[in-house]
């Protein structure tokens, strides 16, 4: 029994009841979007939580390649909603776009469950090859070098070479191997399954293109402009997102790193299938929201029997080929990101200066300024899936107990400890094991778990302050968010001084880092979603929400560059020098932490001067009398 799963059940039960009570005060459609997006995020974060380990431990990419690959994927995931938002605004409507995207996501996540044999690391010395043998996954992974018929542990040399431990004197290779005399390479990386992997990523990216921005836009359509429940509704919706990602990290992460990668990815796919079913069955609760702007135009044949709707779907399928190529090349993704940013800002700019008045322009400029702050925030926050995930595996003590406990409950022997403690112990037959350790990917549940605890509190807080005219301006909330994410990394820098002999930092510091990032996220992300939907001109709502996700995309691209700086040398998917890995991470975390704090101060200082650009968009009125769910 995994204690993390038990804790997850307790947290869910305690937090869902007050959230459900608040949902009853909101439009009925929020409930269906809440559960549909919950399952979509379960699939996305379930896959994302183990992706960096799949790249470094299964395909044996080095840190630089793996983080670039991870960055290309995550950047495209948040870049292509620009296209999906525009297509929904002009042709499909948000409901059809969401349904089509969900189908692509189901196909993509289930394709991720197709797993090949792992790649093989090889050391070449004076023309002779020696294989590394691997057992386990995640933090339990053990890598040894095979010399003759035996396998041996190894460690680092100061020059980047390796030292083979307990190697017999008569062996055909010396124990001390300078970096200049060895060559490390990867063999048996199956190209067929690598291409299946890239196809799966492409399907997921294209699915998110049609779903992500549009489902958030549909939430905004449920409320009138002056509805004081709006910010609260977005935070409750955000709770649903994080309920899905919380259980994704716990279950998909656990299965992926203990049972098999296929199990973690497969469960994520089943979650997405559940999200599609919920959305389709819940259509009546949307009360006609999100339908195509011109149904007749969409259904009119334009090429034989093919309608505009058919052509959009066909072009999306053909577009998978382009995405398939892009996801393999981070540099090309960066170019596309730049083109996308310039194009969408030009599209918005033309509308503002040809069809908008001064009030609409200033509101939109305020929204774009918030987007700029979000780029910096996501650059740091999105270290979670890459550098922080690897830090959890390599430099964090993931056990909840220092020593194993053996006891007896109603005649049944019970062993309380981590996997490593269990492996080192001799247990009686029938012993019940309580696993007191996290897998590295399960630490991703910290952020989502804290949101489950604090989202209802923040939702009630903003509603309480808003009703009294004392709600902080969005600029203030963004400044606080940036400062908190900066402090979160400085907390890890401090925690590094408490590392143990294996250069592992106590888990409490990583948990504290995610706590500060979570409170910062609650000040920025749901508030940002709500602000974009308030500040954008009605005809640009989905497009501006896509711009919001462009900020995520830009942040994720920059995040991959920072994660690359925090990378270290690995052999067989295992870090070679834990001390060097810790020192490198601490240096990077210190620099980005102070930079975020400085930017947060700038936002706080500018807040009094820019808040009037909202032109009353944040003013509230009485709560509508529409019945809730």
């Amino acid at each position: 029994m995994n204690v993390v799963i038990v804790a997850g059940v307790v947290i869910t039960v305690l937090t869902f009841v007050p959230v459900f009570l608040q949902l009853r005060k909101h439009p009925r459609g929020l409930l269906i979007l809440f559960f549909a997006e919950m399952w979509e995020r379960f699939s996305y974060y379930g896959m994302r939580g183990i992706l960096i380990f799949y790249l470094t431990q299964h395909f044996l990419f080095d840190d630089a390649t793996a983080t670039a690959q991870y960055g290309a994927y995550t950047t495209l995931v948040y870049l292509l909603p620009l296209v999906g938002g525009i297509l929904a605004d002009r042709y499909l409507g948000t409901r059809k776009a969401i349904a089509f995207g969900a189908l692509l996501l189901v196909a993509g996540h289930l394709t991720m469950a197709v797993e090949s044999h792992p790649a093989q690391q090889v050391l070449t010395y004076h023309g002779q090859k020696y294989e590394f043998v691997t057992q386990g996954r995640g933090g339990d992974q053990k890598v040894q070098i095979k010399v003759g018929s035996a396998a041996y542990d190894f460690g680092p040399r100061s020059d980047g070479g390796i030292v083979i431990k307990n190697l017999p004197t008569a062996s055909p290779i010396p124990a001390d191997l300078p970096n200049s005399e060895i060559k490390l390479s990867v063999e048996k990386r199956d190209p067929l399954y690598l291409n299946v992997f890239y196809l799966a990523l492409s399907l997921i990216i294209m699915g998110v293109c049609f779903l992500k921005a549009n489902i958030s836009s549909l939430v905004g359509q449920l409320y009138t402009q002056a509805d004081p429940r709006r910010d609260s509704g977005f935070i409750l919706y955000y709770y649903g997102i994080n309920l899905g990602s919380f259980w994704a990290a716990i279950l998909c992460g656990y299965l992926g790193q203990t049972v098999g990668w296929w199990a973690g990815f497969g469960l994520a796919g089943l979650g997405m299938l559940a999200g599609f079913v919920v959305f389709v069955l819940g259509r009546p609760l949307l009360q006609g929201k999100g339908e195509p702007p011109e149904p007749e135009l969409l259904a009119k044949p334009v090429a034989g029997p093919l309608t505009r709707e058919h052509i959009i779907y066909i072009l999306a399928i053909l577009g998978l080929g382009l995405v398939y190529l892009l996801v393999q090349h981070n540099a090309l993704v960066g170019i596309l990101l730049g083109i996308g940013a310039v194009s969408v800002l030009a599209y918005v700019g033309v509308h503002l200066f040809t069809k908008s008045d001064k009030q609409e322009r200033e509101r939109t400029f305020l929204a774009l300024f918030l987007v700029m702050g979000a780029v910096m925030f996501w650059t740091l926050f999105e270290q979670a899936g890459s550098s922080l995930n690897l830090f959890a595996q390599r430099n964090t003590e993931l056990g909840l107990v220092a020593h194993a406990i053996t006891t007896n409950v109603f005649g049944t022997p019970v062993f309380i400890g981590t996997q490593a403690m269990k492996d080192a112990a001799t247990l009686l037959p029938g012993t019940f094991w309580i696993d007191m350790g996290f897998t590295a990917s399960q630490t991703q549940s910290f952020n989502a778990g804290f949101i489950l605890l604090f989202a209802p509190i923040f939702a009630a807080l903003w509603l309480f302050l808003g009703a009294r005219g004392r709600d902080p301006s969005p600029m203030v909330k963004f400044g606080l968010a940036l400062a908190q994410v900066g402090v979160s990394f400085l907390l890890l820098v401090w925690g590094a001084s408490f590392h143990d002999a294996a250069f592992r930092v106590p888990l409490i510091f990583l948990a504290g880092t995610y706590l500060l990032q979570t409170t910062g996220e609650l000040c920025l992300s749901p508030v940002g979603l709500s602000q974009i939907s308030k500040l954008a001109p009605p005809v640009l709502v989905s497009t501006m929400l896509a711009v919001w996700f462009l900020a995520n995309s830009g942040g994720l691209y920059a995040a991959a560059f920072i994660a690359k700086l925090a990378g270290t040398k690995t052999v067989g998917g295992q870090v070679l020098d834990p001390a060097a890995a810790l020192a490198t991470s601490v240096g990077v975390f210190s620099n980005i932490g102070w930079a975020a704090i400085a930017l947060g101060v700038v936002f706080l200082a500018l807040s009094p001067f820019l808040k009037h650009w909202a032109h009353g968009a944040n003013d509230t009125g009485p709560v509508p009398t529409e019945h809730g769910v």
Side-chain angles (χ1 to χ4, degrees):
M1 179 177 67
N2 184 252
V3 70
V4 180
I5 296 175
V6 175
V9 172
V10 173
I11 290 172
T12 301
V13 171
L14 291 177
T15 59
F16 185 75
V17 172
V19 166
F20 182 74
L21 292 177
Q22 290 193 52
L23 280 169
R24 291 173 59 85
K25 302 175 184 178
H26 288 260
R28 291 186 177 94
L30 182 62
L31 186 66
I32 195 65
L33 299 179
F34 176 97
F35 282 108
E37 181 67 347
M38 179 192 77
W39 283 115
E40 188 274 329
R41 291 291 88 181
F42 178 91
S43 67
Y44 175 76
Y45 282 100
M47 188 274 276
R48 194 200 76 158
I50 55 178
L51 179 58
I52 195 70
F53 302 126
Y54 191 55
L55 290 168
T56 56
Q57 295 187 346
H58 183 78
F59 287 119
L60 296 186
F61 289 117
D62 59 37
D63 279 9
T65 304
T67 53
Q69 179 68 83
Y70 176 89
Y73 162 68
T74 53
T75 300
L76 287 169
V77 159
Y78 283 95
L79 176 60
L80 289 192
L82 287 167
V83 178
I86 293 171
L87 289 174
D89 277 347
R90 297 191 61 180
Y91 301 110
L92 291 176
T94 51
R95 184 188 61 79
K96 285 180 177 289
I98 292 166
F100 178 61
L103 283 175
L104 293 175
L105 282 164
V106 171
H109 284 293
L110 292 179
T111 303
M112 283 290 295
V114 179
E115 182 181 337
S116 66
H117 293 292
Q120 179 75 58
Q121 184 93 58
V122 174
L123 180 147
T124 303
Y125 175 77
H126 291 182
Q128 297 297 311
K129 293 185 176 182
Y130 301 88
E131 292 186 346
F132 290 88
V133 293
T134 304
Q135 294 179 335
R137 301 175 190 83
D140 294 325
Q141 184 189 50
K142 182 176 179 62
V143 181
Q144 296 178 304
I145 185 168
K146 190 174 182 181
V147 180
S149 59
Y152 301 91
D153 294 332
F154 59 91
R157 276 177 51 101
S158 59
D159 68 345
I162 68 172
V163 176
I164 304 175
K165 301 177 181 179
N166 303 316
L167 185 69
T169 306
S171 297
I173 185 173
D176 195 303
L177 296 168
N179 189 49
S180 60
E181 296 185 20
I182 63 175
K183 177 184 177 182
L184 294 171
S185 58
V186 176
E187 298 182 358
K188 300 179 182 179
R189 186 184 287 151
D190 193 321
L192 172 62
Y193 284 94
L194 188 59
N195 286 322
V196 169
F197 167 70
Y198 288 133
L199 173 61
L201 294 185
S202 303
L203 285 164
I204 294 170
I205 290 165
M206 189 63 75
V208 175
C209 163
F210 281 88
L211 185 144
K212 187 60 182 170
N214 292 312
I215 197 167
S216 298
S217 173
L218 194 50
V219 173
Q221 294 174 41
L222 298 176
Y223 298 91
T224 61
Q225 186 73 10
D227 192 336
R229 302 174 300 172
R230 194 182 187 94
D231 280 6
S232 177
F234 269 96
I235 290 183
L236 294 174
Y237 168 72
Y238 213 66
Y239 172 95
I241 290 175
N242 285 277
L243 182 62
S245 59
F246 178 64
W247 278 105
I250 291 176
L251 297 179
C252 297
Y254 182 77
L255 290 176
Q257 293 195 277
T258 58
V259 176
W261 304 115
W262 64 269
F265 292 134
L267 183 60
L270 294 177
M272 187 62 246
L273 181 59
F276 174 73
V277 171
V278 167
F279 184 75
V280 171
L281 295 181
R283 178 183 175 183
L285 291 179
L286 299 177
Q287 299 178 334
K289 303 291 185 181
E291 294 303 315
E294 298 182 67
E296 298 82 6
L297 180 66
L298 185 65
K300 183 178 179 180
V302 293
L306 298 179
T307 66
R308 279 182 172 80
E309 183 174 0
H310 294 145
I311 291 174
I312 289 173
Y313 297 151
I314 291 171
L315 290 176
I317 298 300
L318 294 176
L320 287 171
L322 176 60
V323 176
Y324 171 84
L325 295 175
L326 286 171
V327 77
Q328 302 177 53
H329 302 286
N330 186 267
L332 290 179
V333 172
I335 295 172
L336 182 63
L337 176 63
I339 294 172
V342 171
S343 300
V344 74
L345 290 177
Y347 176 80
V348 172
V350 168
H351 178 87
L352 291 180
F353 290 102
T354 60
K355 300 180 181 180
S356 299
D357 56 21
K358 178 176 181 293
Q359 177 175 296
E360 277 194 343
R361 284 195 295 272
E362 290 192 344
R363 281 182 172 180
T364 306
F365 289 150
L366 177 58
L368 292 174
F369 195 86
L370 295 177
V371 166
M372 291 170 56
V375 171
M376 180 63 179
F377 180 85
W378 296 125
T379 297
L380 274 62
F381 182 86
E382 290 293 346
Q383 295 301 307
S386 53
S387 65
L388 282 178
N389 223 3
L390 292 174
F391 185 87
Q393 177 184 293
R394 298 167 177 177
N395 291 114
T396 304
E397 172 50 62
L398 296 175
L400 295 175
V401 293
H403 305 284
I405 300 171
T406 303
T407 185
N408 190 287
V409 179
F410 301 117
T412 300
V414 176
F415 181 83
I416 304 173
T418 64
Q419 177 71 55
M421 295 173 183
K422 176 176 175 287
D423 293 341
T426 301
L427 303 182
L428 296 173
T431 297
F432 184 75
W433 173 41
I434 300 178
D435 184 0
M436 296 298 290
F438 280 76
T439 65
S441 57
Q442 281 183 321
T443 62
Q444 296 292 294
S445 67
F446 282 137
N447 168 244
F450 287 137
I451 285 182
L452 299 187
L453 293 170
F454 289 107
I457 297 172
F458 272 70
L461 175 64
W462 300 147
L463 192 59
F464 175 83
L465 293 175
R468 289 158 179 77
R470 303 178 69 176
D471 190 16
S473 72
M475 287 286 292
V476 169
K477 292 176 182 177
F478 272 52
L480 292 174
L482 288 163
Q484 287 172 88
V485 76
V487 172
S488 75
F489 282 99
L490 297 184
L491 179 63
L492 270 186
V493 173
W494 177 48
S497 62
F498 297 93
H499 70 76
D500 61 14
F503 299 95
R504 296 175 300 187
V505 175
L507 183 61
I508 187 67
F509 289 99
L510 186 61
T513 293
Y514 281 122
L515 173 60
L516 286 167
Q517 292 186 7
T518 299
T519 54
E521 182 186 6
L522 285 169
C523 288
L524 182 142
S525 188
V527 173
L529 280 171
S530 179
Q531 284 299 307
I532 296 299
S533 66
K534 285 181 181 180
L535 296 171
V539 297
L540 290 179
V541 171
S542 285
T543 302
M544 284 300 294
L545 280 167
V547 172
W548 173 256
F549 291 114
L550 178 64
N552 290 66
S553 187
L556 282 158
Y557 189 79
F561 175 75
I562 291 175
K564 180 179 179 180
L565 296 178
T568 191
K569 187 173 183 178
T570 59
V571 177
Q574 180 175 284
V575 65
L576 180 62
D577 188 348
L582 180 61
T584 301
S585 294
V586 165
V588 172
F589 293 164
S590 178
N591 290 335
I592 62 178
W594 286 113
I597 292 173
L599 188 60
V601 171
V602 170
F603 264 69
L604 292 172
L606 290 178
S607 175
F609 304 100
L610 297 183
K611 64 180 182 180
H612 70 276
W613 280 5
H615 289 288
N618 292 311
D619 295 342
T620 60
V623 177
T625 57
E626 174 195 1
H627 295 293
V629 293

